[in-house]
Amino acid sequence: MKTRNVAMYGMLIALAFILSYIESIIPIPVPIPGIKIGLANLVVVTALFLMGPKQAFMMSMIRIVLVGFTFGNLSTMIFSFGGGLLSWLIMTIAKRWNKFSVTGVSILGGISHNAGQILIA
């Protein structure tokens, strides 16, 4: 089981990294700097449902650090940590509550990610 988990972590982190790169090259016609679609957060939702909340948290934090060092800077990472932490918390609560589908949990995660970044600002 350990080998399977390591392989799953590696694949999901690589996928999140690739999706973050794709997001960084897609121009979004919104006058707010730093706005993104949130493709990489799909990997966190996937990890939450496939592996559990602790693993999804680790995936989110590793993704934020790797993407921050590669495509961003310290301020980008700080905003991402705030958004990622609140997003993970809300998605975990929503999943445990069993009132939302995967899509609903993902939407709540996107909304709370934006709210977390605004709180940091």
Side-chain angles (χ1 to χ4, degrees), residues 95-108:
K95 182 182 177 282
R96 285 187 183 162
W97 198 24
N98 290 326
K99 298 285 183 187
F100 296 98
S101 66
V102 176
T103 305
V105 170
S106 179
I107 290 170
L108 287 174

Side-chain angles (χ1 to χ4, degrees), residues 24-104:
S24 72
I25 61 174
I26 295 174
I28 298 178
V30 178
I32 302 169
I35 247 182
K36 295 181 182 176
I37 299 170
L39 294 175
N41 289 330
L42 292 173
V43 177
V44 177
V45 174
T46 302
L48 180 64
F49 279 88
L50 288 180
M51 302 172 78
K54 291 177 186 173
Q55 292 82 356
F57 178 77
M58 290 305 299
M59 293 284 306
S60 181
M61 296 301 115
I62 291 169
R63 177 187 64 81
I64 289 168
V65 169
L66 289 176
V67 170
F69 281 133
T70 306
F71 306 118
N73 53 36
L74 184 60
S75 66
T76 304
M77 285 176 48
I78 292 170
F79 283 111
S80 292
F81 274 124
L85 184 60
L86 186 60
S87 174
W88 171 81
L89 180 65
I90 297 298
M91 288 190 305
T92 301
I93 291 169
K95 182 182 177 282
R96 285 187 183 162
W97 198 24
N98 290 326
K99 298 285 183 187
F100 296 98
S101 66
V102 176
T103 305

